[in-house]
Every structure is written in C-alpha cells, then in structure tokens.
C-alpha cells in the first residue's frame, strides 16, 4: 500500500478480475438483500432486471475484495477510509459477468488536524467483461505519510 506522498491528482490504475457466480449471488442475497430479483430468475422476470441480478451491495463487496487484493501487493500506509460519496449502480451485474476496476485520483489532501496523515479521493468505476460500467463511486481513503 502506498503512502500519501505516492498519490497525485490524475493518477490512474486498472486492476482486478472477479468472476461473478450464480451461487455467490444467491448466497449473498439470501443473507443480506433478500429481494425477489436477487433470489431467482422467476422473481426477476416481472421487473426491469428480467433475470437474476446481484445485489448492488454485493457488487460493492466484490469491488472491495479486488481493492484489498490490489493494496496487498505493496507495503504502505493505508488507514482505512472516511467514507464513500456518489455511489451509483449503473447496470445490473449478473452471474457469469467478470468485473474489473478502474480508478483515478481526483484529490489528495494532507490533514490539517492530524499531522502524519491525509486523504485521497478517487473516482472508481467497476466494469463488466463487455467494458460496460456497472458501478461508480468516490471513496475517500486515509493514508499515513512517510514522515510519521
């Protein structure tokens, strides 16, 4: 994981590969989002989804798994996150989709109140294997500086 000084506005990254399975979509929905269109094709048939689709929260969780795997490739200063802004689910995610992530740094801000740390805001887009955006959001990640 990098430190705050390693980020600059305009930096981009592309990473991740997550294969969405039917069993995982159903398991997540049963536990966390048991709406009919997340539980069966029949339940989705009379909705705008048409067929089984993953919960948006499941899409967010799959994205987090890819992000943590990417961060784990380097040592550094991750301190978690302050939140997420502008979360939008743009297109249904379906079993068989393969997801990936593209990210662009849009703000780097040293903390005024806590020396030795700061925040990085990014614009994150999750795409399926047809290069269609399925989710977009702006996380505000916290990082320590090397000067700690």
């Amino acid at each position: 994981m990098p430190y705050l000084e390693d980020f600059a506005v305009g930096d981009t990254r592309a990473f991740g590969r997550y294969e969405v399975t039917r069993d995982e979509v159903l398991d997540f929905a049963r536990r966390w989002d048991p709406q009919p269109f997340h539980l069966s094709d029949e339940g989705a048939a009379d909705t705008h989804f048409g067929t089984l689709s993953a919960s948006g929260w499941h899409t967010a969780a799959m994205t987090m798994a890819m992000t943590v795997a990417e961060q784990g490739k380097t040592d550094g200063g991750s301190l978690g996150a302050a939140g997420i802004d502008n979360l939008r689910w743009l297109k249904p995610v379906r079993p068989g989709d393969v997801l990936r992530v593209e990210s662009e740094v849009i703000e780097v801000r040293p903390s005024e109140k806590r020396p030795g740390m700061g925040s990085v805001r990014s614009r994150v887009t999750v795409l399926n294997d047809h290069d269609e955006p399925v989710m977009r959001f702006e996380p505000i990640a916290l990082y320590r500086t090397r000067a700690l």
Side-chain angles (χ1 to χ4, degrees), residues 15 27 32 34-35 52-54 58 65 69 71 73-74 78-80 85 87 91 98 106 113 115 119 121 126 145 148:
F15 61 90
D27 289 345
W32 304 109
Q35 298 181 76
L52 181 70
S53 67
H58 186 194
Q71 287 178 340
K73 293 178 181 178
T74 58
S78 176
L79 296 171
D85 291 334
L87 174 63
K91 186 171 181 64
V98 179
I106 58 175
K113 295 181 181 178
S119 63
R121 178 186 294 266
V126 181
T145 64
L148 260 181

Side-chain angles (χ1 to χ4, degrees), residues 13-54:
R13 295 185 305 160
F15 61 90
R17 183 177 193 287
Y18 199 104
E19 295 183 38
V20 182
T21 69
R22 184 177 185 84
D23 286 344
E24 193 175 61
V25 168
L26 294 171
D27 289 345
F28 187 97
R30 283 186 201 108
R31 180 151 185 178
W32 304 109
D33 194 353
Q35 298 181 76
F37 42 86
H38 297 318
L39 294 170
S40 70
D41 288 313
E42 296 77 26
D46 291 333
T47 71
H48 67 285
F49 294 110
T51 60
L52 181 70
S53 67

